[in-house]
Amino acid sequence: DTEVTQTPKHLVMGMTNKKSLKCEQHMGHRAMYWYKQKAKKPPELMFVYSYEKLSINESVPSRFSPECPNSSLLNLHLHALQPEDSALYLCASSHILVNSGANVLTFGAGSRLTVL
Amino acid sequence: DAKTTQPNSMESNEEEPVHLPCNHSTISGTDYIHWYRQLPSQGPEYVIHGLTSNVNNRMASLAIAEDRKSSTLILHRATLRDAAVYYCILMPLRRGSTLGRLYFGRGTQLTVWP
């Protein structure tokens, strides 16, 4: 299995809703990532998990809450979002290498979120 | 982190070679050069990476200048499926960090004509 699977593919939510995005991989990768991509823009790094612990938070607002319940799963919990949070949310995973420069990330197809 | 500069867009005809340039004049000696591409409505996809020597794989070739201040991704025979945004990214060797953080620039939109 060489894939990263993201669900749902599309999500529409109101500003008062609570929803979650899910990401799963079975490649034995111990690093997992969340990226956000607005239309016509490059992906922006949000969070990085290493061995199920949060390693990097790129100053993301607290209305986005990541969770890594085990080595195969990564969730992004969404609460009180704003319309400007509408974007494609991408999950990725990689091995953890001593030489960090040689790491290769495998991305999922993304979850397209619309906030009304 | 060192930055990269790529043309906004390039065009090619099907079955012709494509050379996608990337400038990275402030690259450090331990920065790896990575290329990813993103097809429409999909997540980014790894293409190739290298440090100093030219690299080949089933998807493409990576030619790295001797001074490492520039590199070129070579698609030997473009197909319609190669139409995508191509990102050239430097991934540094970080002391005390084993994580592969990718910071994307704007990339090059490649259009392939039949």
Side-chain angles (χ1 to χ4, degrees):
Chain A
D1 190 349
T2 58
E3 287 188 344
V4 173
T5 303
Q6 291 189 242
T7 55
K9 292 193 186 314
H10 299 275
L11 178 64
V12 179
M13 60 186 291
M15 289 190 285
T16 58
N17 292 156
K18 284 185 182 181
K19 296 286 186 184
S20 297
L21 305 180
K22 297 190 176 184
C23 173
E24 189 168 4
Q25 57 87 17
H26 297 287
M27 294 177 280
H29 290 170
R30 300 304 297 275
M32 297 187 78
Y33 311 74
W34 279 115
Y35 280 81
K36 172 183 178 178
Q37 186 174 26
K38 302 277 281 183
K40 306 284 188 190
K41 299 289 187 184
E44 297 176 357
L45 183 63
M46 299 174 72
F47 302 104
V48 183
Y49 272 81
S50 171
Y51 296 110
E52 296 86 72
K53 292 191 184 338
L54 183 64
S55 295
I56 297 168
N57 177 342
E58 294 281 357
S59 303
V60 178
S62 59
R63 57 186 185 269
F64 296 93
S65 175
E67 177 197 22
C68 192
N70 61 54
S71 61
S72 299
L73 292 174
L74 184 67
N75 298 322
L76 186 62
H77 302 298
L78 314 170
H79 174 53
L81 295 193
Q82 304 296 313
E84 58 264 30
D85 296 321
S86 298
L88 181 68
Y89 288 85
L90 294 159
C91 173
S93 68
S94 75
H95 286 299
I96 295 179
L97 303 178
V98 172
N99 183 350
S100 61
N103 261 312
V104 171
L105 273 64
T106 301
F107 284 82
S111 293
R112 187 164 299 282
L113 173 68
T114 302
V115 182
L116 301 177
Chain B
D1 291 354
K3 295 195 175 178
T4 63
T5 304
Q6 299 177 253
N8 289 335
S9 62
M10 291 187 66
E11 298 183 355
S12 175
N13 294 318
E14 207 175 5
E15 298 192 6
E16 289 185 353
V18 181
H19 291 238
L20 297 165
C22 181
N23 287 321
H24 27 78
S25 57
T26 59
I27 191 170
S28 76
T30 53
D31 286 346
Y32 277 74
I33 302 161
H34 285 247
W35 284 83
Y36 282 73
R37 71 180 185 181
Q38 188 170 18
L39 280 64
S41 302
Q42 295 192 25
E45 173 188 32
Y46 166 77
V47 178
I48 201 166
H49 77 282
L51 183 60
T52 56
S53 302
N54 294 344
V55 184
N56 300 299
N57 66 21
R58 65 173 180 81
M59 288 182 71
S61 296
L62 175 60
I64 300 173
E66 201 167 330
D67 63 5
R68 300 211 326 127
K69 293 184 185 300
S70 66
S71 61
T72 302
L73 179 70
I74 302 166
L75 307 179
H76 296 286
R77 290 182 68 213
T79 69
L80 297 178
R81 197 194 170 276
D82 291 322
V85 178
Y86 285 78
Y87 296 102
C88 169
I89 305 166
L90 300 182
M91 189 179 290
L93 174 62
R94 297 176 190 270
R95 288 185 181 277
S97 174
T98 54
L99 298 174
R101 282 177 278 182
L102 287 177
Y103 293 98
F104 290 81
R106 292 191 174 185
T108 297
Q109 173 69 62
L110 175 65
T111 300
V112 180
W113 299 104

